[in-house]
Amino acid sequence: MRFNHTAFWIQIHNVPLLCMAAEIGLLLGSMNGDVREIDDGGTGDCARKYIRVRVVINVDQPLRRILRVDVLRDGQESMMLLRYERLPEHCYRSRRIGHVVRDCLSVVESEGPEDYDLLFGPWMNVSSPVKPVL
Ligand SMILES: [Zn+2]
C-alpha cells in the first residue's frame, strides 16, 4: 500500500434500502476507493441505520462527505452522508488529512449548494461501533 493510501471504515448514512446493504456498500464504497470489507451489521436484515465499508482511500484527494446516487434506479438521487471512523487530524476546509483548518493553505473552490461549511465538520469523525456481546 502506498503511503498516501490509507484504509478507513466509512459509515454511509441515509441509505434508502438498507436490506441491500452489502450490494450498496460495495457500490458506494467503490466510489471512494478500493473496498476491502463490508460490514452490513452481520444479520443482513437492516439491523443498523448505516452501512460500514472499509475502503482504501487516497488521502491526497479531498474526502467525500456526501454521495448522491440513484440507488433505487427510479430517477431520484438519494443523498447519503459519509462518516469516517477514527479519522486522523484533518482539515474541514480542503478536506485533506494531515493538517488542521488553521494551517490550511489550499485555495478551495466552491462545489455547489450542498457543500455549505455546516455540512462538513467534526460530525464526520466518529468512533467505531461497539461490537455486541453475544
Ligand atoms: Zn486544508
Side-chain angles (χ1 to χ4, degrees):
M1 194 181 296
R2 281 168 290 164
F3 72 93
N4 60 341
H5 285 68
T6 306
F8 287 105
W9 280 107
I10 302 177
Q11 297 178 4
I12 306 173
H13 292 251
N14 293 1
V15 179
L17 273 184
L18 275 173
C19 298
M20 296 169 59
E23 293 157 56
I24 291 181
L26 185 60
L27 169 73
L28 301 181
S30 62
M31 296 174 69
N32 291 276
D34 290 332
V35 177
R36 292 295 167 88
E37 215 174 319
I38 296 170
D39 174 10
D40 62 5
T43 61
D45 65 353
C46 326
R48 206 191 271 142
K49 299 292 183 216
Y50 54 85
I51 302 168
R52 296 173 77 224
V53 286
R54 188 161 174 81
V55 179
V56 177
I57 294 175
N58 180 349
V59 296
D60 290 339
Q61 298 296 316
L63 296 174
R64 285 172 179 267
R65 63 192 111 172
I66 291 169
L67 289 177
R68 287 169 173 277
V69 184
D70 179 10
V71 282
L72 303 177
R73 300 183 193 281
D74 61 356
Q76 300 284 319
E77 282 190 340
S78 298
M79 189 171 86
M80 286 151 285
L81 302 177
L82 303 184
R83 300 188 182 201
Y84 296 78
E85 294 182 4
R86 298 175 183 167
L87 191 64
E89 177 179 85
H90 81 293
C91 173
Y92 301 138
R93 186 164 169 262
S94 63
R95 298 188 274 156
R96 258 78 169 184
I97 293 169
H99 66 275
V100 292
V101 65
R102 70 173 176 275
D103 299 324
C104 186
L105 301 173
S106 302
V107 176
V108 178
E109 293 171 24
S110 171
E111 296 180 10
E114 75 272 27
D115 281 321
Y116 293 116
D117 285 347
L118 283 177
L119 286 174
F120 195 76
W123 61 263
M124 282 187 69
N125 187 7
V126 291
S127 54
S128 299
V130 176
K131 290 275 182 199
V133 178
L134 299 174

